Amino acid sequence: MPQRAATIESLPMAFEVVKEMQAGGLDWGEGYRPLGRRALAEIVEDRMAEAVDRWLDGLDGSAVRDRRNGSYRRCLLSELGDIEINVPRTRRFCPTGVLRSYARRAPEIDRAILAGFVLGLSTRKVGEVLLTLLGRPVSASTVSRVARTLDTAVAAFHRRPLKNAYKALMLDGVVLARKTGAGALRRPVLVALGVRPDGRKEIVDFRLAASESAAEWERFLTGLYRRGLTGEGLETICVDGGQGLLAALPVVYHAIPVQRCWAHKMRNILNKVREADRDAVKADVHAVMNADNRRKAESAARRFADRWEPVYPKAVACLRNDLDELLTCFRYKTLAERKQVRTTNAIERRFREVRRRTRPMGTFQDRTSMDRILFAIFTHENKRQGIATPFPLTHNN
């Protein structure tokens, strides 16, 4: 069979040849990588030199004056590894468009870096994982630079228009830590999660706040309202009972019934009870929470008070003082519907995933890095519910 001679004129063509030969059983090993890096460097440098020549030739006869002004070194991270490129320039022109056309980083590498970042790997570990792909590790600074490509998507997520697409809203503040010059600083993340009519749960938005004060919550809720979440069709809002949130709610969503979170309330009650009695107290609280209807729930609450008030008056007062808002969920007829709206556990579960993935990182370096990882994890959780964010995690070369 006659052999076909071909001139390989571009990197994509070279990769096609490599793929064909690998499919035929040829094991290239690692020996081709240094040769490939040198060849790619020569190709890119030649293209940039040609671009500079065209620029200077195009100035002949014009009033613009320019001349060559040396060069500088720049790294090009490719599928073959990290390549140092000599970039020529003039006083007025630099052919960086050539680098962009060859892509400073292959999209596959960026996706791998972002995937590792979202999965909670440290920047150092991401570089080590990519060692097998590139033939050398990627530096932590490179991983951090790629992670910054999320910033546009994060900003768009926080600005996107919202719709009244929820039957219930859950609001909670969860504390995370980030590094400062004086050590770890603990700050809350204010979160809004919407329950759709079909039961699917969606993180609507989140805000990194200085505290859980009424002013911070009002700022967050007002932003949701102005973007379109006006509360039309909203049947209930479930809250954790923080005083700042309770003070801010009437300012923005004054006409919507409030449901106090049963999970938070249970913890507060049991904290006022001796260890030996906690199981019995918990069972009696469950009798209130899981009653067939509101009337039976009120009866169970009276029995709870009659039994435990002589021993634990503070625990009984903890339930009694918020009973009306604890029983808001009984506007729904079935226990399954009530379970969907009576706690903020859905937010807590998502933050368990945040902590699981970010534990290898220790604390967040700054607000921006915290915003990125929360966005990545929350939009991934939304996608698992069948609710895709309109801002896909892509890198525009």
Side-chain angles (χ1 to χ4, degrees), residues 312-367:
Y312 301 117
K314 290 183 179 179
V316 172
C318 186
L319 178 69
R320 179 187 290 138
N321 292 343
D322 300 315
L323 186 61
D324 283 343
E325 291 182 340
L326 285 166
L327 301 184
T328 299
C329 60
F330 281 92
R331 63 184 298 151
Y332 297 101
K333 298 300 183 183
T334 68
L335 180 60
E337 290 177 300
R338 294 195 288 272
K339 284 183 176 180
Q340 287 183 340
V341 302
R342 71 187 185 184
T343 75
T344 60
N345 283 351
I347 294 177
E348 299 282 355
R349 282 194 293 271
R350 282 154 178 78
F351 268 92
R352 282 200 292 272
E353 184 67 12
V354 169
R355 292 188 176 97
R356 183 183 72 82
R357 297 192 189 187
T358 58
R359 193 172 294 114
M361 302 176 186
T363 54
F364 295 94
Q365 292 289 346
D366 52 38
R367 287 177 61 92

Side-chain angles (χ1 to χ4, degrees), residues 147-161:
R148 286 196 290 272
T149 63
L150 287 170
D151 291 350
T152 299
V154 173
F157 179 79
H158 289 313
R159 293 194 305 264
R160 78 195 193 284

Side-chain angles (χ1 to χ4, degrees), residues 63-81:
V64 179
R65 295 288 180 265
D66 197 6
R67 62 185 176 85
R68 298 181 191 275
N69 188 33
S71 62
Y72 67 95
R73 305 294 287 176
R74 180 169 174 176
C75 286
L76 176 69
L77 187 57
S78 75
E79 292 181 355
L80 295 168

Side-chain angles (χ1 to χ4, degrees), residues 30 33 37 75 77-78 80-83 109 113 123-143 145:
E30 289 298 309
R33 286 183 178 273
R37 284 193 288 269
C75 286
L77 187 57
S78 75
L80 295 168
D82 202 8
I83 302 170
I109 295 172
I113 291 174
T123 52
R124 177 182 58 81
K125 288 183 178 179
V126 169
E128 292 173 356
V129 168
L130 291 176
L131 173 63
T132 56
L133 175 63
L134 301 176
R136 64 178 67 184
V138 175
S139 69
S141 61
T142 295
V143 176
R145 285 195 299 273

Side-chain angles (χ1 to χ4, degrees), residues 70-213:
S71 62
Y72 67 95
R73 305 294 287 176
R74 180 169 174 176
C75 286
L76 176 69
L77 187 57
S78 75
E79 292 181 355
L80 295 168
D82 202 8
I83 302 170
E84 283 196 356
I85 302 292
N86 197 43
V87 182
R89 60 186 172 186
T90 73
R91 289 189 175 275
R92 292 175 174 268
F93 174 73
C94 187
T96 53
V98 174
L99 286 179
R100 284 195 295 271
S101 67
Y102 276 90
R104 188 166 188 271
R105 298 180 186 86
E108 292 81 4
I109 295 172
D110 277 10
R111 283 195 290 270
I113 291 174
L114 287 174
F117 182 77
V118 171
L119 287 171
L121 298 179
S122 65
T123 52
R124 177 182 58 81
K125 288 183 178 179
V126 169
E128 292 173 356
V129 168
L130 291 176
L131 173 63
T132 56
L133 175 63
L134 301 176
R136 64 178 67 184
V138 175
S139 69
S141 61
T142 295
V143 176
S144 296
R145 285 195 299 273
V146 173
R148 286 196 290 272
T149 63
L150 287 170
D151 291 350
T152 299
V154 173
F157 179 79
H158 289 313
R159 293 194 305 264
R160 78 195 193 284
L162 301 176
K163 297 180 179 179
N164 290 306
Y166 313 103
K167 68 176 183 180
L169 193 65
M170 298 176 185
L171 302 170
D172 200 356
V174 182
V175 175
L176 293 178
R178 67 179 179 88
K179 290 179 180 177
T180 70
L185 181 66
R186 294 172 62 81
R187 286 290 183 265
V189 182
L190 311 184
V191 183
L193 182 146
V195 182
R196 296 197 172 202
D198 60 5
R200 290 183 297 165
K201 297 179 176 67
E202 172 188 1
I203 293 289
V204 179
D205 204 359
F206 62 94
R207 176 184 173 85
L208 308 181
S211 67
E212 290 191 66
S213 66

Side-chain angles (χ1 to χ4, degrees), residues 192-396:
L193 182 146
V195 182
R196 296 197 172 202
D198 60 5
R200 290 183 297 165
K201 297 179 176 67
E202 172 188 1
I203 293 289
V204 179
D205 204 359
F206 62 94
R207 176 184 173 85
L208 308 181
S211 67
E212 290 191 66
S213 66
E216 289 282 359
W217 271 111
E218 185 176 339
R219 189 176 297 114
F220 178 53
L221 297 177
T222 300
L224 300 179
Y225 188 94
R226 288 175 176 171
R227 287 159 55 196
L229 188 56
T230 60
E232 182 180 349
L234 199 58
E235 299 168 352
T236 183
I237 297 178
C238 185
V239 301
D240 64 355
Q243 293 305 305
L245 174 54
L246 291 174
L249 266 179
V251 177
V252 184
Y253 296 114
H254 63 279
I256 300 171
V258 172
Q259 167 68 47
R260 293 291 291 270
C261 174
W262 272 101
H264 284 82
K265 181 58 66 176
M266 179 69 80
R267 288 194 290 268
N268 291 340
I269 292 172
L270 295 182
N271 284 339
K272 298 171 175 57
V273 174
R274 289 192 299 269
E275 182 72 30
D277 291 328
R278 285 184 179 175
D279 287 344
V281 169
K282 187 175 182 179
D284 286 351
V285 175
H286 275 159
V288 180
M289 184 172 62
N290 296 323
D292 292 336
N293 53 53
R294 185 181 179 111
R295 182 181 57 79
K296 291 183 178 180
E298 291 171 344
S299 297
R302 285 194 294 272
R303 290 194 298 272
F304 173 83
D306 292 342
R307 178 180 180 184
W308 297 110
E309 190 164 25
V311 186
Y312 301 117
K314 290 183 179 179
V316 172
C318 186
L319 178 69
R320 179 187 290 138
N321 292 343
D322 300 315
L323 186 61
D324 283 343
E325 291 182 340
L326 285 166
L327 301 184
T328 299
C329 60
F330 281 92
R331 63 184 298 151
Y332 297 101
K333 298 300 183 183
T334 68
L335 180 60
E337 290 177 300
R338 294 195 288 272
K339 284 183 176 180
Q340 287 183 340
V341 302
R342 71 187 185 184
T343 75
T344 60
N345 283 351
I347 294 177
E348 299 282 355
R349 282 194 293 271
R350 282 154 178 78
F351 268 92
R352 282 200 292 272
E353 184 67 12
V354 169
R355 292 188 176 97
R356 183 183 72 82
R357 297 192 189 187
T358 58
R359 193 172 294 114
M361 302 176 186
T363 54
F364 295 94
Q365 292 289 346
D366 52 38
R367 287 177 61 92
T368 303
S369 63
M370 186 184 294
D371 217 17
R372 290 180 201 134
I373 191 65
L374 288 170
F375 165 78
I377 292 174
F378 287 158
T379 52
H380 175 69
E381 291 297 311
N382 285 349
K383 186 176 180 180
R384 290 180 60 183
Q385 291 278 314
I387 306 167
T389 173
F391 310 107
L393 308 184
T394 57
H395 177 56
N396 185 359

